[in-house]
Amino acid sequence: MPILSVKNLSISISEIPILKNISFELKKNKILGIVGESGSGKSITALSIINLFNSKNVVKTGSINFNGKAINSLNFIDFEKIRGNDISIIFQEPMSSLNPSMKCGEQIIEVILNHRSINKKSAKKKVYKLLEKVQLTDPETFYNKYPHQLSGGQQQRIMIAMAISCNPKILIADEPTTSLDGIVKKEIIHLLKSIQKETKMSIIFISHDLQLVSNIAENVLVLNQGEIEEMGSSNQIFNTPKKQYTKLLLNSRPPKHSRPKRLPTNENSLEESIVITKQDRAKTHDKIYKKPPILKVKNLEFSYNNIKILNNISFNLYKGESLGLIGESGSGKSTIARSILNLNNFSKGQIFYKEKNIKEINEKEFRKNIQLIFQDPFSSLNPEISIGSSIVEPMLSHNLFDTIDESKEKAISLLEQVNLKKSDFNKYPHEFSGGQRQRIVIARALALNPDILICDESVSALDVSVQAQVLNLLNNLKEKFSFTFLFISHDLSVVKYMTDRLMILNKGEIEEINETDQLLSNPKKNYTKKLLLSNDF
């Protein structure tokens, strides 16, 4: 008998169908992966299982059975005995899931005391053991720390400790590694697998990272717009998928061993993809590197609270080049970006833009020529003004056009270039999907006709098919306008596809820098080898 059985589950919100008659089973001591694009119903399915999705506008039909008992009809008090005790969940973003005003250890104790009849002293001992189990050495130190004092990976370990504190029968992991770099991501996956092996619990692992799901799940469920496209063993789904939608998801991810001109999407069929040869790439690089660099970074150093963040960073960026910057969280990637944008007061070194020291260039003119595409498009757009106004605003600030109408015309043209519509001009950020918002942020960055675009984790939060669309868009724009990219990411597959050269950063220092394919096929440093291994390269 399966430990969890979902039968004919349908959910509508304000009469709009979200889940449509889905059925699946979770077996004891097994891991089920659920994949699909944003809006496919992955998280709604998870929230329905633990009864965290209730409102006056929600209509649910179907049944959810746990250990042979129907749980979707339980009242709030009865379900409280199950949630966190028998069925637990790890959410996507640990920082927003943890209470910032409570010490981490106290938050774990709170869950234990809610479900177990033990005193606080015994509960505290249990917390220490849990912290050791999730590989947080020196448990007493981590017990007394607040969430903001921990790294993203450490926060996620606290969330895992909390989720397994009552030895649940089922653990739901909803995008638990999205914001983590490759090395930490692999550590978290290894941790979940080892805990599952030890405790014999069942796991539902939800992610848009197909590679990750293939590494952890025995069975996979593919969701598309609230319906099940197909389900089967991990081997069958990832090696011999039956449905075109599944094939598209699998092929949307940048391949490791070839370089297509564009990634397959709904608008760009698999048959139309053209592979860039080594000869093509060599010709392009010959043109790029014959010219003088557009940006020079020399002996850059930056410290914060007497802690050195960057040490002796030197590199050149050439017109029309895409330079990749990769490293673990805290390696200094974003600090380099802020230094180039002259947004921090670096202590030593110089940065030259077109042979001029950026400290001596007119600030307004300088910012016009170097633009940033942020990681989170929703938080970087003003929710109170239309997206058209967001694009027009920088053009007005820099007096690019004589009239507002001309600025508006340019903004509409930019929206169309990023595959949005003229009618979108007066809409607000909340009316768009994550991928569409990222297109809006790109359009805004292009509004000032910059020379350099800094992409700081600009596709890490997008599902694979939307990510493919945005990466294709960036490459189209690069070809059309000869843009120069500094492409910051922790995803090596994306960096390989997008970049001409690759720079590896480790604890504020450059480990090595080389042509991307050369570096990936023949890394010189042990740290680089470790980084490649963590990304399955």
Side-chain angles (χ1 to χ4, degrees), residues 20 37 56 101 128 139 180 212 229 280 282 470 487 522 533:
K20 306 165 189 174
E37 297 175 275
K56 294 177 181 177
S101 64
Y128 282 175
L180 305 178
L212 210 58
E229 280 283 334
D280 295 332
V470 172
F487 201 91
N522 188 27
L533 191 63

Side-chain angles (χ1 to χ4, degrees), residues 337-344 346 358-359 363 366-367:
R338 286 194 291 271
S339 299
I340 291 171
L341 289 161
N342 202 17
L343 292 176
N344 62 25
F346 47 88
I358 65 170
K359 298 288 187 184
E363 186 176 355
F366 174 69
R367 296 208 186 288

Side-chain angles (χ1 to χ4, degrees), residues 133-185:
K133 182 175 280 191
V134 297
Q135 297 165 16
L136 290 173
T137 54
D138 192 4
E140 187 174 352
T141 298
F142 283 99
Y143 181 99
N144 290 299
K145 284 193 173 186
Y146 290 91
H148 72 272
Q149 296 175 298
L150 306 181
S151 70
Q154 289 169 338
Q155 289 168 6
Q156 199 58 285
R157 289 170 191 270
I158 296 293
M159 285 294 299
I160 293 170
M162 195 181 302
I164 66 170
S165 61
C166 294
N167 302 315
K169 307 287 191 305
I170 297 173
L171 176 65
I172 300 171
D174 188 6
E175 299 278 13
T177 60
T178 297
S179 58
L180 305 178
D181 62 67
I183 290 176
V184 177
K185 186 180 291 188

Side-chain angles (χ1 to χ4, degrees), residues 267 386-389 391 408-428 432 436-437 439-440 443:
E267 303 88 28
S386 70
I387 60 110
S389 297
I391 298 169
K408 184 176 179 179
E409 190 177 319
K410 173 67 173 177
I412 290 169
S413 171
L414 287 167
L415 286 173
E416 290 172 343
Q417 284 179 39
V418 298
N419 301 327
L420 293 170
K421 300 174 183 176
K422 180 179 179 179
S423 57
D424 290 326
F425 184 92
N426 292 312
K427 291 181 181 177
Y428 288 82
F432 297 90
Q436 288 172 324
R437 285 195 289 264
R439 292 168 187 269
I440 293 162

Side-chain angles (χ1 to χ4, degrees), residues 398-409:
H398 286 270
N399 302 311
L400 256 61
F401 298 99
D402 295 327
T403 66
I404 293 178
D405 286 343
E406 287 178 300
S407 298
K408 184 176 179 179
E409 190 177 319

